[in-house]
């Protein structure tokens, strides 16, 4: 994976990507998918790691009316095929603060939350954000 992976928009009425995966995040997710199966992200903005996106086996973190599905990634495999879809969720309250930002999930060295599946790998996911004007806003 050499380039950023854009998500398919999931907010009703939107036709633009709000969240992307940096190449290093895509590589780590491919490794984690092999270990844990299908995955998902949830961004709470609350306690624990604050603004760090948490990666879980798909469905392990229960989402509901208090969450917004920002986008879904088609996670590529090593041969150019697709491993499957990976959802990126955010708490509705956090979305109100970040609704004018484009988010990119990236990876840095260091231990993240013990709740997120990348913790044992010595790496952690983080969000890089850019304030932008989205179409229609």
């Amino acid at each position: 994976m050499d380039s950023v992976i854009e998500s398919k928009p999931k907010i009703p009425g939107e036709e633009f990507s709000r969240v992307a995966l940096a190449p290093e995040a895509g590589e780590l997710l491919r490794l984690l998918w092999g270990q844990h199966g299908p995955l998902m992200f949830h961004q709470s903005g609350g306690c624990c790691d604050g603004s760090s996106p948490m990666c879980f086996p798909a469905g392990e973190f229960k989402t509901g009316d208090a969450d917004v599905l920002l986008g879904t990634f088609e996670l590529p495999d090593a041969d150019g095929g697709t491993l499957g879809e990976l959802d990126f969720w955010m708490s509705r309250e956090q979305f109100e603060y970040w609704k004018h930002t484009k988010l990119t999930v990236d990876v840095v060295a260091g231990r993240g939350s013990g709740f997120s599946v990348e913790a044992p790998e010595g790496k952690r996911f983080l969000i890089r954000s850019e304030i932008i004007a989205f179409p229609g806003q």
Side-chain angles (χ1 to χ4, degrees):
M1 276 181 254
D2 294 344
S3 61
V4 169
I5 301 168
E6 295 288 344
S7 67
K8 293 187 287 185
K10 291 296 181 175
I11 296 177
E14 292 188 354
E15 298 179 6
F16 53 91
S17 173
R18 285 186 170 272
V19 62
L21 297 174
E24 295 80 8
E27 291 296 327
L28 180 55
L29 286 165
R30 195 166 70 206
L31 171 75
L32 295 170
W33 192 287
Q35 295 171 357
H36 302 280
L39 301 168
M40 67 179 286
F41 274 111
H42 188 271
Q43 176 77 49
S44 70
C47 67
C48 303
D49 281 323
S51 61
S52 293
M54 306 283 265
C55 186
F56 302 99
E60 185 174 294
F61 186 94
K62 301 299 179 200
T63 57
D65 291 341
D67 301 294
V68 177
L69 178 58
L70 295 186
T72 299
F73 297 100
E74 292 283 336
L75 192 61
D77 66 16
D79 301 319
T82 301
L83 289 174
E85 291 189 342
L86 187 153
D87 291 340
F88 189 98
W89 292 86
M90 180 179 284
S91 73
R92 191 169 299 282
E93 183 178 13
Q94 185 68 18
F95 179 67
E96 282 303 310
Y97 292 113
W98 285 8
K99 65 185 174 186
H100 299 294
T101 59
K102 169 70 181 252
L103 306 176
T104 301
V105 180
D106 205 348
V107 175
V108 293
R111 189 162 169 88
S113 168
F115 300 116
S116 195
V117 295
E118 82 279 5
E121 302 301 320
K123 298 179 181 181
R124 66 183 181 91
F125 291 111
L126 63 84
I127 291 290
R128 299 190 190 280
S129 62
E130 174 185 5
I131 296 175
I132 62 172
F134 286 104
Q137 289 187 348

